[in-house]
Amino acid sequence: MVEDRSFGGRLFAAVNFTLLAIIALITVLPFIHVVAGSFTTSAELAASKFVLIPKVWSFEAYKFIFSTNTIFRAMGVSVGVTLVGTFVSMFLTALMAYGLSRRDLDGRKVVNFMVVFTMLFHGGMIPTFLVVKELGLIDTYASLIIPSAISAFNMIILKNFFQNIPEGLEESAKIDGCNDFGILFKIVLPLSMPAIATISLFYAVTYWNTYMTAILYLDDSAKWPIQVLLRQIVVLASGMDHSSTLDAAVPPPDQTIKMAVIVVATLPILMVYPFLQKHFAKGAMLGSMKG
Amino acid sequence: MQEVTIPPSPVQPALDASKSKQEVKRRIWRNRWLYVMIAPGLLYFIIFKYLPMYGLIISFQDYKPYHGILGSDWVGMKHFTRLFTEPDFLNILMNTLILFGLNIFIYFPIPIILALMLNELRGNFFKRIFQSLLYIPHFMSWVIVVSISFVMVTMDGGIINDLLVFFGFEKINFLLNPSWFRPMYIIQVIWREAGWGTIIYLASIAAIDPGLYEAARMDGAGRLRQIWHITIPAIRGVIITLFILKIGSVLDLGFEHVYLLLNSMNREVAEIIDTYVYTAGLRQGQFSYSTAIGFFKSIIGLIMVMAVNKIAKKLGEEGVY
């Protein structure tokens, strides 16, 4: 578009830029505040109020939270669930999406409808809980993965992506003696890397952020993922009383310690973010196409 | 004995039918590996999505875990009647609708405005930087979002209260004061989702024919007029589609977020259907009653989506399905 060089045009551009810059700043400042706060001492945090770069550096908070193995264990659970969960979900989603992407498959419409319908109507929390319980999944790590193994939304995005791959490729592979598994793994998946990367990211973020399924299905605190631990340390200790759970004898942790736990729980996502960022914008657009 | 007249058999069509039946059989056999691929996924949906739908029948029973669905006593509409006569529930329904209202009237327009602003930005460099920064919160869990705001608003050493004191105001107990629950809720929603919400609008703005802007400029239209007469009409369809989806989630505000903000002081305004289902169902063991509540919620959601979709189609828009 040609630049509008009139006074009005320039004023508009300047105001627009400034507003957006302020909004972007507001978006990141809270997190920068927390990161900076986690790397300083409680005394310094109390004295200097808002720090963007700590004047006094200190790793005390991190030393403290890693002095017991509670955080390590929770991190381990989260990493494990994220890796295994993403793989399982991706595998099941890709298989189903590919099957349903083939137009000559009898019955695909019925299955498609069954999937879409679950997005419009569902049994709800209690009946789902009862199914999970009947299957004996309560208090197992599997309960964090299996009950949410496939997202209907992700499956439909991937199915649409597969449908856009020219059918000729598949036909010729078939003539060369490939069966459907061969076509999927040797031809379709390698051609779909942007979509696979995007949806893997979506799944990975969901698993890393697992909270609700954990409080629903895990009674044993030794199995808690990091998000549930974060709630115990920060949310419940901030003058909230969800009754039970938190031991009243333990004094509420320092601000710096709470901040350090927040950073630890966020870090993995922030590390993947730059790598996958270019993919997910594209992926979200794929998702916006009609199923 | 009367002669039985056999009607002339339609030989040709029958042959065709059996032929096409064979054809279908052959096609199914040829695609057998595809069925193998779909099977695990289908099984997943049947077990974890459709079995719970079957489980909804416990809302017509006094479900006892020991007796199971088949062995529990039927009580008809008892739990649904209770729903509409209990003042507790009406309060919870109101809370849910108020948060939904905040979502529709305050949150919903913000990504649209942000997208329009981002689109007017000259130079891709800053556009990309601002976008990247605005997307980040979406990837943080509600626990992280709520935790960050809690360390900021806490009474002892939270930055917000320190600032209030610095500017000569009184400290505010944001966490326990019921009147701060709704503002905190919607600010957190905006902070986490507004940036991410722009993606879909930006995508549809990108698809607009640049010639339209060219022509508008020829006619002397300024920036604001171009936005009003070209950009907004062009993304109207997307706005309506997203609006329908939002309406459909009327009672579905997300359990996690509200549950994290909920405490005994703000329960009066903060308890919503989802959190109530959890507390009444899993904490207090009222399986049937809370299933009835969940059932009510799902049905309202389904009706709302279908209704709004129909209205959108009547207005000449595409609708969601």
Side-chain angles (χ1 to χ4, degrees), chain B residues 120-178:
Chain B
E120 292 300 320
L121 215 54
R122 298 293 151 250
N124 273 324
F125 179 70
F126 280 108
K127 191 169 171 180
R128 222 169 273 159
I129 287 189
F130 289 163
Q131 271 178 281
S132 307
L133 294 180
L134 291 172
Y135 292 162
I136 290 176
H138 174 78
F139 290 91
M140 298 182 184
S141 68
W142 279 120
V143 187
I144 295 172
V145 173
V146 169
S147 296
I148 290 177
S149 42
F150 276 20
V151 300
M152 287 176 70
V153 302
T154 178
M155 290 286 275
D156 49 351
I159 176 79
I160 304 283
N161 271 317
D162 285 348
L163 284 175
L164 282 177
V165 171
F166 181 80
F167 288 111
F169 296 100
E170 296 261 311
K171 281 191 177 187
I172 297 171
N173 195 339
F174 292 95
L175 305 180
L176 296 182
N177 185 342

Short mmCIF file of all heavy atoms in Angstrom, two decimals, chain B residues 120-178:
data_model
loop_
_atom_site.label_atom_id
_atom_site.label_comp_id
_atom_site.label_asym_id
_atom_site.label_seq_id
_atom_site.Cartn_x
_atom_site.Cartn_y
_atom_site.Cartn_z
N GLU B 120 -2.97 -1.55 10.09
CA GLU B 120 -2.65 -0.20 9.62
C GLU B 120 -1.18 0.15 9.84
O GLU B 120 -0.74 1.21 9.41
CB GLU B 120 -3.53 0.82 10.36
CG GLU B 120 -5.00 0.73 10.00
CD GLU B 120 -5.25 0.96 8.52
OE1 GLU B 120 -4.61 1.83 7.93
OE2 GLU B 120 -6.10 0.23 7.94
N LEU B 121 -0.47 -0.74 10.53
CA LEU B 121 0.94 -0.47 10.82
C LEU B 121 1.77 -0.55 9.54
O LEU B 121 1.69 -1.54 8.81
CB LEU B 121 1.42 -1.52 11.83
CG LEU B 121 2.44 -1.08 12.87
CD1 LEU B 121 1.93 0.14 13.62
CD2 LEU B 121 2.67 -2.22 13.82
N ARG B 122 2.53 0.50 9.28
CA ARG B 122 3.42 0.44 8.11
C ARG B 122 4.74 -0.19 8.52
O ARG B 122 5.27 0.10 9.57
CB ARG B 122 3.65 1.86 7.57
CG ARG B 122 2.40 2.53 7.09
CD ARG B 122 1.85 1.81 5.84
NE ARG B 122 0.41 1.95 5.75
CZ ARG B 122 -0.45 0.96 5.95
NH1 ARG B 122 -0.02 -0.25 6.25
NH2 ARG B 122 -1.74 1.15 5.84
N GLY B 123 5.27 -1.01 7.66
CA GLY B 123 6.55 -1.64 7.97
C GLY B 123 6.33 -2.96 8.66
O GLY B 123 5.71 -3.03 9.71
N ASN B 124 6.83 -4.02 8.05
CA ASN B 124 6.58 -5.35 8.58
C ASN B 124 7.35 -5.66 9.85
O ASN B 124 6.95 -6.50 10.63
CB ASN B 124 6.94 -6.41 7.52
CG ASN B 124 5.76 -6.67 6.63
OD1 ASN B 124 4.62 -6.65 7.10
ND2 ASN B 124 6.00 -6.85 5.35
N PHE B 125 8.47 -4.94 10.04
CA PHE B 125 9.33 -5.23 11.18
C PHE B 125 8.57 -5.11 12.50
O PHE B 125 8.49 -6.05 13.29
CB PHE B 125 10.54 -4.30 11.14
CG PHE B 125 11.48 -4.50 12.29
CD1 PHE B 125 12.26 -5.66 12.37
CD2 PHE B 125 11.59 -3.55 13.28
CE1 PHE B 125 13.12 -5.85 13.43
CE2 PHE B 125 12.45 -3.74 14.36
CZ PHE B 125 13.22 -4.89 14.43
N PHE B 126 7.99 -3.92 12.72
CA PHE B 126 7.29 -3.69 13.98
C PHE B 126 6.02 -4.52 14.07
O PHE B 126 5.64 -4.98 15.14
CB PHE B 126 6.99 -2.21 14.16
CG PHE B 126 8.17 -1.44 14.64
CD1 PHE B 126 8.86 -0.57 13.82
CD2 PHE B 126 8.62 -1.63 15.94
CE1 PHE B 126 9.96 0.12 14.28
CE2 PHE B 126 9.73 -0.94 16.41
CZ PHE B 126 10.40 -0.06 15.58
N LYS B 127 5.37 -4.68 12.93
CA LYS B 127 4.16 -5.48 12.93
C LYS B 127 4.46 -6.87 13.49
O LYS B 127 3.75 -7.38 14.35
CB LYS B 127 3.65 -5.59 11.50
CG LYS B 127 2.26 -6.16 11.37
CD LYS B 127 1.78 -5.98 9.95
CE LYS B 127 0.49 -6.70 9.69
NZ LYS B 127 0.06 -6.50 8.29
N ARG B 128 5.56 -7.44 13.00
CA ARG B 128 5.90 -8.79 13.44
C ARG B 128 6.28 -8.82 14.91
O ARG B 128 5.91 -9.74 15.64
CB ARG B 128 7.04 -9.34 12.57
CG ARG B 128 6.78 -10.78 12.20
CD ARG B 128 7.72 -11.27 11.14
NE ARG B 128 7.26 -11.00 9.79
CZ ARG B 128 8.07 -10.96 8.74
NH1 ARG B 128 9.36 -11.13 8.88
NH2 ARG B 128 7.59 -10.75 7.53
N ILE B 129 7.03 -7.81 15.34
CA ILE B 129 7.44 -7.77 16.75
C ILE B 129 6.22 -7.64 17.66
O ILE B 129 6.06 -8.41 18.61
CB ILE B 129 8.42 -6.60 17.00
CG1 ILE B 129 9.76 -6.95 16.39
CG2 ILE B 129 8.56 -6.33 18.50
CD1 ILE B 129 10.85 -6.00 16.74
N PHE B 130 5.34 -6.71 17.33
CA PHE B 130 4.15 -6.53 18.16
C PHE B 130 3.32 -7.81 18.18
O PHE B 130 2.83 -8.23 19.23
CB PHE B 130 3.31 -5.36 17.65
CG PHE B 130 3.94 -4.01 17.89
CD1 PHE B 130 3.51 -2.90 17.21
CD2 PHE B 130 4.97 -3.86 18.82
CE1 PHE B 130 4.09 -1.65 17.43
CE2 PHE B 130 5.56 -2.63 19.06
CZ PHE B 130 5.11 -1.52 18.35
N GLN B 131 3.15 -8.42 17.02
CA GLN B 131 2.36 -9.66 16.97
C GLN B 131 2.97 -10.72 17.88
O GLN B 131 2.27 -11.34 18.66
CB GLN B 131 2.29 -10.19 15.54
CG GLN B 131 1.13 -9.64 14.75
CD GLN B 131 1.17 -10.17 13.33
OE1 GLN B 131 1.94 -9.66 12.50
NE2 GLN B 131 0.39 -11.17 13.05
N SER B 132 4.28 -10.92 17.74
CA SER B 132 4.93 -11.96 18.54
C SER B 132 4.73 -11.71 20.03
O SER B 132 4.46 -12.64 20.79
CB SER B 132 6.43 -12.00 18.27
OG SER B 132 6.65 -12.11 16.89
N LEU B 133 4.86 -10.46 20.44
CA LEU B 133 4.69 -10.15 21.86
C LEU B 133 3.25 -10.40 22.30
O LEU B 133 3.00 -10.92 23.37
CB LEU B 133 5.09 -8.70 22.15
CG LEU B 133 6.57 -8.38 21.94
CD1 LEU B 133 6.85 -6.92 22.25
CD2 LEU B 133 7.46 -9.26 22.82
N LEU B 134 2.31 -10.02 21.44
CA LEU B 134 0.90 -10.17 21.81
C LEU B 134 0.45 -11.63 21.87
O LEU B 134 -0.49 -11.96 22.58
CB LEU B 134 0.02 -9.39 20.83
CG LEU B 134 0.12 -7.86 20.91
CD1 LEU B 134 -0.65 -7.21 19.76
CD2 LEU B 134 -0.41 -7.35 22.24
N TYR B 135 1.11 -12.50 21.11
CA TYR B 135 0.70 -13.91 21.11
C TYR B 135 1.14 -14.66 22.36
O TYR B 135 0.51 -15.63 22.75
CB TYR B 135 1.31 -14.65 19.92
CG TYR B 135 0.80 -14.25 18.56
CD1 TYR B 135 1.52 -14.57 17.41
CD2 TYR B 135 -0.40 -13.58 18.41
CE1 TYR B 135 1.06 -14.20 16.15
CE2 TYR B 135 -0.86 -13.21 17.16
CZ TYR B 135 -0.12 -13.53 16.03
OH TYR B 135 -0.57 -13.18 14.80
N ILE B 136 2.27 -14.24 22.95
CA ILE B 136 2.89 -15.04 24.01
C ILE B 136 1.94 -15.49 25.14
O ILE B 136 1.91 -16.67 25.47
CB ILE B 136 4.11 -14.30 24.61
CG1 ILE B 136 5.23 -14.26 23.56
CG2 ILE B 136 4.63 -15.00 25.86
CD1 ILE B 136 6.45 -13.48 24.01
N PRO B 137 1.14 -14.58 25.70
CA PRO B 137 0.33 -15.01 26.86
C PRO B 137 -0.60 -16.18 26.56
O PRO B 137 -0.91 -16.97 27.44
CB PRO B 137 -0.49 -13.75 27.20
CG PRO B 137 0.29 -12.63 26.67
CD PRO B 137 0.96 -13.14 25.42
N HIS B 138 -1.02 -16.30 25.30
CA HIS B 138 -1.94 -17.39 24.95
C HIS B 138 -1.35 -18.76 25.29
O HIS B 138 -2.08 -19.71 25.55
CB HIS B 138 -2.28 -17.33 23.47
CG HIS B 138 -3.09 -18.49 23.01
ND1 HIS B 138 -4.44 -18.61 23.25
CD2 HIS B 138 -2.74 -19.63 22.35
CE1 HIS B 138 -4.87 -19.73 22.75
NE2 HIS B 138 -3.87 -20.37 22.19
N PHE B 139 -0.02 -18.84 25.27
CA PHE B 139 0.62 -20.14 25.50
C PHE B 139 0.84 -20.43 26.98
O PHE B 139 1.33 -21.49 27.33
CB PHE B 139 1.94 -20.21 24.73
CG PHE B 139 1.70 -20.28 23.26
CD1 PHE B 139 1.64 -19.13 22.49
CD2 PHE B 139 1.49 -21.50 22.64
CE1 PHE B 139 1.37 -19.19 21.15
CE2 PHE B 139 1.22 -21.57 21.29
CZ PHE B 139 1.16 -20.41 20.54
N MET B 140 0.50 -19.47 27.81
CA MET B 140 0.63 -19.71 29.24
C MET B 140 -0.67 -20.30 29.76
O MET B 140 -1.75 -19.87 29.37
CB MET B 140 0.93 -18.39 29.95
CG MET B 140 2.23 -17.77 29.51
SD MET B 140 2.54 -16.27 30.43
CE MET B 140 4.05 -15.71 29.63
N SER B 141 -0.54 -21.25 30.67
CA SER B 141 -1.75 -21.86 31.24
C SER B 141 -2.47 -20.84 32.11
O SER B 141 -1.90 -19.82 32.50
CB SER B 141 -1.35 -23.06 32.10
OG SER B 141 -0.66 -22.61 33.24
N TRP B 142 -3.73 -21.13 32.43
CA TRP B 142 -4.46 -20.25 33.34
C TRP B 142 -3.78 -20.18 34.69
O TRP B 142 -3.80 -19.16 35.36
CB TRP B 142 -5.92 -20.70 33.49
CG TRP B 142 -6.78 -20.24 32.36
CD1 TRP B 142 -7.49 -21.03 31.49
CD2 TRP B 142 -7.02 -18.89 31.94
NE1 TRP B 142 -8.14 -20.24 30.58
CE2 TRP B 142 -7.87 -18.93 30.83
CE3 TRP B 142 -6.58 -17.66 32.41
CZ2 TRP B 142 -8.31 -17.79 30.17
CZ3 TRP B 142 -7.00 -16.50 31.76
CH2 TRP B 142 -7.86 -16.58 30.65
N VAL B 143 -3.17 -21.30 35.07
CA VAL B 143 -2.47 -21.28 36.37
C VAL B 143 -1.37 -20.24 36.35
O VAL B 143 -1.20 -19.47 37.30
CB VAL B 143 -1.87 -22.66 36.70
CG1 VAL B 143 -1.32 -22.65 38.11
CG2 VAL B 143 -2.89 -23.75 36.54
N ILE B 144 -0.62 -20.18 35.25
CA ILE B 144 0.46 -19.21 35.15
C ILE B 144 -0.10 -17.79 35.12
O ILE B 144 0.37 -16.91 35.84
CB ILE B 144 1.32 -19.48 33.91
CG1 ILE B 144 2.03 -20.84 34.05
CG2 ILE B 144 2.36 -18.38 33.71
CD1 ILE B 144 2.77 -21.30 32.80
N VAL B 145 -1.14 -17.58 34.31
CA VAL B 145 -1.73 -16.24 34.21
C VAL B 145 -2.24 -15.77 35.58
O VAL B 145 -1.94 -14.66 36.03
CB VAL B 145 -2.89 -16.24 33.19
CG1 VAL B 145 -3.62 -14.90 33.20
CG2 VAL B 145 -2.37 -16.54 31.80
N VAL B 146 -2.98 -16.65 36.24
CA VAL B 146 -3.53 -16.28 37.54
C VAL B 146 -2.40 -16.08 38.56
O VAL B 146 -2.41 -15.14 39.35
CB VAL B 146 -4.53 -17.36 38.02
CG1 VAL B 146 -4.92 -17.15 39.47
CG2 VAL B 146 -5.76 -17.34 37.13
N SER B 147 -1.38 -16.94 38.49
CA SER B 147 -0.24 -16.80 39.41
C SER B 147 0.46 -15.46 39.22
O SER B 147 0.78 -14.77 40.19
CB SER B 147 0.78 -17.92 39.20
OG SER B 147 0.20 -19.16 39.52
N ILE B 148 0.71 -15.10 37.96
CA ILE B 148 1.38 -13.83 37.69
C ILE B 148 0.55 -12.68 38.26
O ILE B 148 1.07 -11.80 38.94
CB ILE B 148 1.62 -13.63 36.18
CG1 ILE B 148 2.68 -14.61 35.69
CG2 ILE B 148 2.10 -12.20 35.90
CD1 ILE B 148 2.94 -14.55 34.19
N SER B 149 -0.76 -12.71 38.01
CA SER B 149 -1.53 -11.57 38.53
C SER B 149 -1.60 -11.60 40.05
O SER B 149 -1.63 -10.56 40.67
CB SER B 149 -2.91 -11.48 37.89
OG SER B 149 -3.48 -12.73 37.77
N PHE B 150 -1.58 -12.78 40.64
CA PHE B 150 -1.62 -12.83 42.11
C PHE B 150 -0.36 -12.24 42.75
O PHE B 150 -0.46 -11.52 43.73
CB PHE B 150 -1.83 -14.28 42.59
CG PHE B 150 -3.28 -14.67 42.59
CD1 PHE B 150 -4.20 -13.98 41.83
CD2 PHE B 150 -3.73 -15.74 43.35
CE1 PHE B 150 -5.54 -14.34 41.82
CE2 PHE B 150 -5.06 -16.12 43.35
CZ PHE B 150 -5.95 -15.42 42.58
N VAL B 151 0.81 -12.56 42.19
CA VAL B 151 2.00 -11.97 42.81
C VAL B 151 2.03 -10.47 42.57
O VAL B 151 2.67 -9.73 43.30
CB VAL B 151 3.36 -12.59 42.34
CG1 VAL B 151 3.41 -14.07 42.66
CG2 VAL B 151 3.62 -12.35 40.88
N MET B 152 1.29 -10.01 41.56
CA MET B 152 1.26 -8.56 41.32
C MET B 152 0.26 -7.82 42.21
O MET B 152 0.47 -6.67 42.56
CB MET B 152 0.95 -8.27 39.85
CG MET B 152 2.12 -8.59 38.93
SD MET B 152 1.72 -8.34 37.22
CE MET B 152 1.59 -6.58 37.16
N VAL B 153 -0.85 -8.49 42.55
CA VAL B 153 -1.88 -7.76 43.31
C VAL B 153 -1.92 -8.13 44.79
O VAL B 153 -2.73 -7.58 45.53
CB VAL B 153 -3.30 -7.99 42.72
CG1 VAL B 153 -3.35 -7.56 41.27
CG2 VAL B 153 -3.74 -9.42 42.90
N THR B 154 -1.06 -9.02 45.23
CA THR B 154 -1.11 -9.45 46.63
C THR B 154 -0.89 -8.25 47.57
O THR B 154 -0.27 -7.26 47.20
CB THR B 154 -0.08 -10.56 46.89
OG1 THR B 154 -0.15 -10.91 48.25
CG2 THR B 154 1.33 -10.11 46.58
N MET B 155 -1.46 -8.36 48.77
CA MET B 155 -1.41 -7.24 49.72
C MET B 155 0.00 -6.98 50.21
O MET B 155 0.40 -5.83 50.39
CB MET B 155 -2.31 -7.56 50.93
CG MET B 155 -3.77 -7.54 50.64
SD MET B 155 -4.40 -5.88 50.43
CE MET B 155 -4.73 -5.42 52.13
N ASP B 156 0.76 -8.05 50.44
CA ASP B 156 2.11 -7.81 50.98
C ASP B 156 3.15 -7.91 49.86
O ASP B 156 3.56 -8.97 49.45
CB ASP B 156 2.44 -8.79 52.11
CG ASP B 156 2.14 -10.23 51.76
OD1 ASP B 156 1.50 -10.44 50.68
OD2 ASP B 156 2.51 -11.13 52.49
N GLY B 157 3.53 -6.75 49.35
CA GLY B 157 4.63 -6.70 48.39
C GLY B 157 4.22 -6.85 46.95
O GLY B 157 5.07 -7.00 46.08
N GLY B 158 2.90 -6.83 46.63
CA GLY B 158 2.49 -6.87 45.24
C GLY B 158 2.69 -5.51 44.61
O GLY B 158 2.42 -4.48 45.24
N ILE B 159 3.15 -5.49 43.38
CA ILE B 159 3.51 -4.24 42.73
C ILE B 159 2.33 -3.29 42.61
O ILE B 159 2.46 -2.08 42.78
CB ILE B 159 4.15 -4.53 41.35
CG1 ILE B 159 4.46 -3.26 40.58
CG2 ILE B 159 3.29 -5.41 40.50
CD1 ILE B 159 5.69 -2.58 41.03
N ILE B 160 1.14 -3.83 42.35
CA ILE B 160 -0.03 -2.97 42.16
C ILE B 160 -0.38 -2.23 43.44
O ILE B 160 -0.60 -1.02 43.44
CB ILE B 160 -1.25 -3.80 41.69
CG1 ILE B 160 -0.93 -4.60 40.43
CG2 ILE B 160 -2.47 -2.90 41.49
CD1 ILE B 160 -0.92 -3.81 39.16
N ASN B 161 -0.39 -2.96 44.55
CA ASN B 161 -0.71 -2.31 45.83
C ASN B 161 0.38 -1.32 46.23
O ASN B 161 0.10 -0.28 46.82
CB ASN B 161 -0.95 -3.34 46.91
CG ASN B 161 -2.42 -3.75 46.97
OD1 ASN B 161 -3.30 -2.89 46.88
ND2 ASN B 161 -2.67 -5.03 47.08
N ASP B 162 1.65 -1.66 45.92
CA ASP B 162 2.73 -0.73 46.20
C ASP B 162 2.53 0.56 45.41
O ASP B 162 2.74 1.66 45.93
CB ASP B 162 4.08 -1.35 45.84
CG ASP B 162 4.50 -2.39 46.88
OD1 ASP B 162 3.87 -2.43 47.95
OD2 ASP B 162 5.45 -3.16 46.61
N LEU B 163 2.11 0.41 44.16
CA LEU B 163 1.87 1.60 43.34
C LEU B 163 0.70 2.42 43.89
O LEU B 163 0.75 3.64 43.93
CB LEU B 163 1.59 1.21 41.89
CG LEU B 163 2.81 0.80 41.05
CD1 LEU B 163 2.38 0.31 39.68
CD2 LEU B 163 3.78 1.97 40.92
N LEU B 164 -0.35 1.72 44.33
CA LEU B 164 -1.49 2.43 44.90
C LEU B 164 -1.06 3.26 46.11
O LEU B 164 -1.43 4.43 46.25
CB LEU B 164 -2.57 1.42 45.33
CG LEU B 164 -3.45 0.83 44.22
CD1 LEU B 164 -4.41 -0.19 44.80
CD2 LEU B 164 -4.23 1.93 43.52
N VAL B 165 -0.24 2.66 46.97
CA VAL B 165 0.25 3.37 48.15
C VAL B 165 1.11 4.55 47.72
O VAL B 165 0.99 5.66 48.22
CB VAL B 165 1.05 2.42 49.06
CG1 VAL B 165 1.75 3.20 50.18
CG2 VAL B 165 0.12 1.37 49.65
N PHE B 166 1.96 4.30 46.73
CA PHE B 166 2.86 5.34 46.23
C PHE B 166 2.08 6.56 45.74
O PHE B 166 2.48 7.70 45.96
CB PHE B 166 3.70 4.76 45.09
CG PHE B 166 4.69 5.75 44.51
CD1 PHE B 166 5.89 6.01 45.14
CD2 PHE B 166 4.39 6.42 43.33
CE1 PHE B 166 6.80 6.92 44.61
CE2 PHE B 166 5.29 7.34 42.79
CZ PHE B 166 6.50 7.59 43.43
N PHE B 167 0.96 6.31 45.09
CA PHE B 167 0.15 7.43 44.59
C PHE B 167 -0.88 7.92 45.61
O PHE B 167 -1.78 8.68 45.29
CB PHE B 167 -0.55 7.04 43.28
CG PHE B 167 0.39 6.95 42.13
CD1 PHE B 167 0.70 5.73 41.55
CD2 PHE B 167 1.01 8.09 41.60
CE1 PHE B 167 1.59 5.64 40.49
CE2 PHE B 167 1.89 8.01 40.55
CZ PHE B 167 2.19 6.80 39.99
N GLY B 168 -0.74 7.44 46.83
CA GLY B 168 -1.57 7.96 47.91
C GLY B 168 -2.94 7.32 48.05
O GLY B 168 -3.83 7.91 48.66
N PHE B 169 -3.12 6.14 47.49
CA PHE B 169 -4.41 5.45 47.66
C PHE B 169 -4.29 4.38 48.75
O PHE B 169 -3.20 4.07 49.21
CB PHE B 169 -4.86 4.79 46.35
CG PHE B 169 -5.13 5.77 45.26
CD1 PHE B 169 -4.17 6.00 44.27
CD2 PHE B 169 -6.33 6.45 45.19
CE1 PHE B 169 -4.42 6.90 43.24
CE2 PHE B 169 -6.58 7.35 44.17
CZ PHE B 169 -5.62 7.58 43.19
N GLU B 170 -5.44 3.83 49.10
CA GLU B 170 -5.46 2.72 50.05
C GLU B 170 -5.11 1.42 49.32
O GLU B 170 -5.37 1.28 48.14
CB GLU B 170 -6.86 2.57 50.64
CG GLU B 170 -7.32 3.74 51.46
CD GLU B 170 -7.13 3.47 52.94
OE1 GLU B 170 -7.53 2.37 53.39
OE2 GLU B 170 -6.56 4.33 53.64
N LYS B 171 -4.55 0.48 50.06
CA LYS B 171 -4.34 -0.85 49.47
C LYS B 171 -5.69 -1.52 49.23
O LYS B 171 -6.65 -1.26 49.97
CB LYS B 171 -3.54 -1.73 50.43
CG LYS B 171 -2.05 -1.45 50.42
CD LYS B 171 -1.31 -2.53 51.19
CE LYS B 171 0.19 -2.29 51.12
NZ LYS B 171 0.96 -3.40 51.71
N ILE B 172 -5.75 -2.34 48.21
CA ILE B 172 -7.00 -3.05 47.92
C ILE B 172 -6.74 -4.55 48.00
O ILE B 172 -5.75 -5.03 47.44
CB ILE B 172 -7.52 -2.71 46.50
CG1 ILE B 172 -7.85 -1.21 46.40
CG2 ILE B 172 -8.75 -3.55 46.17
CD1 ILE B 172 -8.16 -0.76 44.99
N ASN B 173 -7.61 -5.26 48.68
CA ASN B 173 -7.47 -6.71 48.69
C ASN B 173 -8.21 -7.30 47.50
O ASN B 173 -9.35 -7.73 47.59
CB ASN B 173 -8.00 -7.28 50.00
CG ASN B 173 -7.53 -8.70 50.20
OD1 ASN B 173 -7.16 -9.37 49.23
ND2 ASN B 173 -7.53 -9.16 51.43
N PHE B 174 -7.51 -7.30 46.36
CA PHE B 174 -8.14 -7.72 45.11
C PHE B 174 -8.63 -9.17 45.16
O PHE B 174 -9.61 -9.53 44.52
CB PHE B 174 -7.14 -7.61 43.96
CG PHE B 174 -6.78 -6.18 43.61
CD1 PHE B 174 -5.65 -5.59 44.14
CD2 PHE B 174 -7.58 -5.45 42.75
CE1 PHE B 174 -5.31 -4.28 43.82
CE2 PHE B 174 -7.25 -4.14 42.42
CZ PHE B 174 -6.11 -3.55 42.96
N LEU B 175 -7.90 -10.00 45.90
CA LEU B 175 -8.19 -11.43 45.85
C LEU B 175 -9.43 -11.82 46.65
O LEU B 175 -10.14 -12.75 46.27
CB LEU B 175 -6.99 -12.22 46.34
CG LEU B 175 -5.70 -11.89 45.61
CD1 LEU B 175 -4.55 -12.72 46.14
CD2 LEU B 175 -5.88 -12.14 44.11
N LEU B 176 -9.66 -11.13 47.74
CA LEU B 176 -10.77 -11.54 48.59
C LEU B 176 -11.99 -10.64 48.46
O LEU B 176 -13.05 -10.96 48.95
CB LEU B 176 -10.31 -11.60 50.06
CG LEU B 176 -9.22 -12.63 50.36
CD1 LEU B 176 -8.87 -12.63 51.83
CD2 LEU B 176 -9.68 -14.03 49.95
N ASN B 177 -11.82 -9.51 47.81
CA ASN B 177 -12.93 -8.58 47.66
C ASN B 177 -13.81 -8.99 46.47
O ASN B 177 -13.38 -8.95 45.33
CB ASN B 177 -12.37 -7.18 47.44
CG ASN B 177 -13.45 -6.12 47.41
OD1 ASN B 177 -14.63 -6.44 47.22
ND2 ASN B 177 -13.06 -4.87 47.58
N PRO B 178 -15.07 -9.37 46.76
CA PRO B 178 -15.92 -9.89 45.67
C PRO B 178 -16.09 -8.91 44.51
O PRO B 178 -16.26 -9.33 43.37
CB PRO B 178 -17.25 -10.15 46.36
CG PRO B 178 -16.95 -10.24 47.81
CD PRO B 178 -15.75 -9.39 48.05
#
